[in-house]
Amino acid sequence: MACFCCGSPKLADNEITAVVTAPITMAAPIKVVITGAAGQIAYSLLYQIASGAVFGPEQPVYLHLLDIAPMMGVLEGVVMELADCALPLLAGVLPTAKPEEAFKDVAAAFLVGAMPRKEGMERKDLLSANVRIFKEQGQALDKVARKDVKILVVGNPANTNALICSKYAPSIPKENFTAMTRLDQNRAQAQLAAKLGVPVQDVKNVIIWGNHSSTQFPDAANAVVKVGGDWKPVPAVVNDDDYLKTTFVTTVQKRGAAVIAARKLSSALSAAKAAADHMRDWFQGTGDRWVSMGVVSDGSYGTPREVVFSFPCTVSNGKWKIVEGLTISDFARQMLDNTGKELAEEKQDAMDVCKD
Ligand code: NAI
């Protein structure tokens, strides 16, 4: 554990409490792990966590930073920069390449690190490489994390990675494993706000159903927009069903590819913001807004059970709940079935890898 007060590179866990710089009126620090900590999403995410944007302005954090051994030099630079931010809520940092060290006693886990897709790699090869990583990380979480740890999987294929992680961590409730579709939700919300010429916060309850992949279904059927002080249905205000079923859906589905084409790198700033949004809402609640979260499906809305499927959710007291009773049109049914089918196939492929 690198201590910011004395510069000692390694402190035992029982010593670290002595270097907490947060005022004594603050809560006890919680341990938070970020995997892929030397990567580009983590680079934007770490500041948000350490500055209080996720767990609140009164909650100190110890950051556990996991990456692979060859990245330890880069990670050292990240640790230096965190120290140089002089953040009052940052109680300490543990850079490590060992999952069991990284996951020890954590209350929140951002699983960002994953094997990137390399040229010529088939989807199945990527899945296979990542299933192995998330199996190992599930086993480590099971062994050493807090049993109430809240886990957000960002690394792709995020939904199936979350499922595998949960499978190998049977002592942690399934409800504690989620996959990130919040970036897709934020993209969808921003597209609708731009279309309607309103501030982004004046659009809510747009839903991402299914897989964080090109089969996802961005659904504006239940979204509402504030017009003249009142919330009105988005479909009625947009008054262009064709746009909502075609351009809107494909723009959101292909937004990640558009960012890569422009930036030559995948979304990182917006992915980090979405990860922070997801975890903040899970810890602090959603109020009167729905949020999309990949969660282990209970078969709601006729979706396949036991896959990690993105649903509209509300959160209170740290527990998420799927929004019930929405009407599913024939068009939506087709879209839900299509993305559900992909998830069921991914699950089967992942299970085959686990047998090896
Ligand atoms: P990056 O390549 O910049 O960083 C990934 C980091 O993970 C690297 O430092 C790498 O060394 C590390 N890593 C690899 N294997 C690891 C392991 N076994 N344990 C710990 N760390 C490991 O990638 P970036 O841009 O930060 O993206 C990370 C992941 O997030 C990718 O899988 C990407 O596809 C995914 N992603 C997901 C989004 C979503 O909406 N769910 C949106 C954007 C990206």
Side-chain angles (χ1 to χ4, degrees):
M1 188 87 61
C3 165
F4 293 160
C5 299
C6 61
S8 161
K10 271 266 175 221
L11 282 176
D13 278 354
N14 58 354
E15 285 173 89
I16 195 74
T17 48
V19 301
V20 172
T21 53
I24 45 171
T25 50
M26 284 194 177
I30 54 168
K31 293 183 176 174
V32 178
V33 64
I34 298 91
T35 74
Q40 51 153 3
I41 292 177
Y43 195 71
S44 288
L45 178 59
L46 291 173
Y47 176 78
Q48 298 185 62
I49 300 170
S51 64
V54 179
F55 301 104
E58 310 249 308
Q59 179 58 67
V61 289
Y62 291 122
L63 296 184
H64 288 192
L65 308 183
L66 180 70
D67 212 294
I68 52 175
M71 296 303 284
M72 287 302 108
V74 174
L75 200 53
E76 212 174 290
V78 174
V79 174
M80 284 187 231
E81 285 208 74
L82 279 167
D84 297 348
C85 288
L87 292 160
L89 290 174
L90 188 54
V93 181
L94 169 70
T96 178
K98 296 184 185 136
E100 285 192 19
E101 224 172 71
F103 295 144
K104 181 100 177 95
D105 298 331
V106 292
F110 293 85
L111 305 188
V112 180
M115 171 83 79
R117 192 173 203 146
K118 294 184 189 138
E119 226 178 317
M121 211 178 192
E122 294 295 327
R123 195 180 67 86
K124 269 198 173 175
D125 300 332
L126 181 74
L127 185 90
S128 158
N130 281 302
V131 162
R132 286 173 221 283
I133 291 174
F134 284 84
K135 176 178 173 179
E136 186 197 5
Q137 294 191 353
Q139 287 165 334
L141 281 161
D142 195 51
K143 218 163 153 184
V144 300
R146 278 170 50 161
K147 296 303 170 200
D148 63 351
V149 58
K150 289 180 166 55
I151 298 150
L152 167 62
V153 177
V154 175
N156 280 319
N159 299 53
T160 300
N161 287 342
L163 184 75
I164 295 303
C165 203
S166 158
K167 178 175 154 64
Y168 286 96
S171 69
I172 299 171
K174 276 192 296 194
E175 295 73 34
N176 295 25
F177 292 84
T178 62
M180 188 166 95
T181 51
R182 184 60 171 266
L183 174 55
D184 308 296
Q185 178 195 310
N186 288 349
R187 287 167 172 164
Q189 190 179 337
Q191 287 298 319
L192 291 175
K195 172 87 177 165
L196 293 164
V198 299
V200 79
Q201 69 275 19
D202 286 356
V203 173
K204 66 177 184 179
N205 299 355
V206 59
I207 301 167
I208 304 299
W209 299 94
N211 202 1
H212 170 69
S213 76
S214 58
T215 67
Q216 66 174 260
F217 174 35
D219 178 13
N222 296 282
V224 288
V225 54
K226 206 188 249 181
V227 185
D230 293 324
W231 290 101
K232 303 219 162 107
V234 163
V237 180
V238 169
N239 195 23
D240 186 349
D241 207 33
D242 188 50
Y243 162 79
L244 291 178
K245 284 184 175 163
T246 57
T247 311
F248 167 67
V249 171
T250 52
T251 302
V252 177
Q253 286 174 334
K254 294 181 180 163
R255 187 67 163 183
V259 170
I260 293 176
R263 215 172 78 87
K264 317 294 174 223
L265 283 169
S266 68
S267 309
L269 182 74
S270 53
K273 158 67 167 53
D277 286 348
H278 178 119
M279 197 63 95
R280 180 202 59 222
D281 287 349
W282 199 358
F283 271 77
Q284 301 191 34
T286 49
D288 64 352
R289 286 173 182 262
W290 303 347
V291 291
S292 294
M293 299 171 74
V295 298
V296 178
S297 170
D298 61 354
S300 287
Y301 294 105
T303 57
R305 286 174 188 275
E306 304 291 320
V307 299
V308 171
F309 195 98
S310 178
F311 288 104
C313 295
T314 53
V315 182
S316 66
N317 299 321
K319 305 258 179 233
W320 56 261
K321 198 169 163 297
I322 296 172
V323 175
E324 291 171 355
L326 302 177
T327 303
I328 302 295
S329 67
D330 290 348
F331 172 70
R333 179 77 270 149
Q334 219 178 347
M335 298 295 280
L336 260 70
D337 289 350
N338 189 34
T339 193
K341 182 166 169 279
E342 182 182 58
L343 280 168
E345 284 167 8
E346 268 187 29
K347 175 182 174 179
Q348 191 50 54
D349 290 345
M351 292 304 175
D352 290 347
V353 174
C354 291
K355 276 195 230 132
D356 299 347

